[in-house]
Amino acid sequence: MKMYRSFAATLVALLMLVTVAGAEERLKMSTTTSTQDSGLLKVLLPPFEKKNNVKVDVIAVGTGQALKLGEAGDVDVVFVHARKLEDKFVADGFGVNRKDVMYNDFVIIGPKNDPAGIAKAKTAAEALKLLATKGASFISRGDKSGTHTKELDLWKSSGIEPKGNWYVEAGQGMGPVITMATERRAYTLTDRGTYNAFKGAKTDLVILFQGEKGLFNPYGIMAVNPKKFPHVKYDLAMKLIDYVTGPEGLKIISDYKAHGEPVFFIYKK
């Protein structure tokens, strides 16, 4: 009996060691809602997770909130799209090793009949002026995201402070905002990736303004500074960064399509 108990205890101990040894690590990544709503992360992360026996816990919020999580040391890596805010994040010592990943662009979408007539506008500022002048319903992210930051820059360049019943600050991610704009037959600014993922089945809104140089939308990824937050998983974060910006990750990004159309583009080297 004693021998049996000893054997059983040894077996339990070995099973515990195997379980611990085989347990996957967790890596926390804050990112913008567009990387998630576009569907990209569903194809980009699994190969990395399998290869490294890790689970990436994604926190998809606006860029401003994503960076705040990094500033608090609550995540290990940040993947966002607001270059000025990213550069400040690094300059203030919260992030390290920022790398360019991909880009797409912002577009203004709205009802196909275009009641405000913005399709004839020559600039994004002119398009916004038409929206304001005609009081056409516009749904703003209103969440300090990269998209919201770009929208505010565009309003500033138009010389108009948006306010009134026609202008709604949703405080939501890109997906819910597109849904809201669709239901209200309103206009909104969106990244092309999320729009491509939603058009057809989830929205009948169409692109009414696009192509301006100032609507360029670059994405960057960076590790949270281990010198400021020793508890972060810096080595694992760098493995993710190297994967996302390496040949395997970039090919997945480049090949990813929604409704047959590219969602993101990679930089030519």
Side-chain angles (χ1 to χ4, degrees), residues 108-114 187 195 203-209:
I108 301 176
I109 61 175
K112 189 175 182 178
N113 65 336
D114 188 18
Y187 295 81
Y195 171 71
T203 184
D204 63 347
L205 299 182
V206 299
I207 295 175
L208 295 168
F209 186 87

Side-chain angles (χ1 to χ4, degrees), residues 171-240:
Q172 299 287 328
M174 198 69 257
V177 165
I178 291 177
T179 298
M180 187 183 298
T182 303
E183 293 170 347
R184 299 192 180 195
R185 313 314 297 160
Y187 295 81
T188 192
L189 179 75
T190 175
D191 67 283
R192 188 182 294 270
T194 306
Y195 171 71
N196 281 349
F198 271 61
K199 73 176 182 179
K202 296 182 180 180
T203 184
D204 63 347
L205 299 182
V206 299
I207 295 175
L208 295 168
F209 186 87
Q210 62 181 320
E212 188 173 86
K213 184 178 179 180
L215 298 179
F216 179 66
N217 181 31
Y219 287 73
I221 191 169
M222 66 212 84
V224 172
N225 192 346
K227 291 184 179 180
K228 186 174 286 288
F229 303 106
H231 65 275
V232 299
K233 297 178 180 178
Y234 173 74
D235 291 340
L236 194 55
M238 287 308 303
K239 283 186 178 181
L240 177 62

Side-chain angles (χ1 to χ4, degrees), residues 108 118 124-142 147-163 166-169 187-189 215:
I108 301 176
I118 71 168
E126 184 182 343
L128 293 184
K129 283 182 179 179
L130 286 169
L131 291 174
T133 300
K134 299 194 176 184
S137 294
F138 184 93
I139 311 298
S140 168
R141 286 278 296 267
T147 304
H148 184 219
T149 299
K150 172 57 68 175
E151 180 213 321
L152 294 179
D153 287 344
L154 293 174
W155 282 116
K156 185 175 181 179
S157 66
S158 75
I160 293 173
E161 181 182 353
K163 57 184 178 180
W166 60 275
Y167 184 77
V168 179
E169 293 184 283
Y187 295 81
T188 192
L189 179 75
L215 298 179

Side-chain angles (χ1 to χ4, degrees), residues 27 48 76-77 96-99 221-224 226 233-245:
L27 183 71
F48 172 80
D76 307 295
V77 62
V96 292
N97 298 330
R98 183 203 173 277
K99 292 186 178 182
I221 191 169
M222 66 212 84
V224 172
K233 297 178 180 178
Y234 173 74
D235 291 340
L236 194 55
M238 287 308 303
K239 283 186 178 181
L240 177 62
I241 291 172
D242 290 340
Y243 161 75
V244 169
T245 60

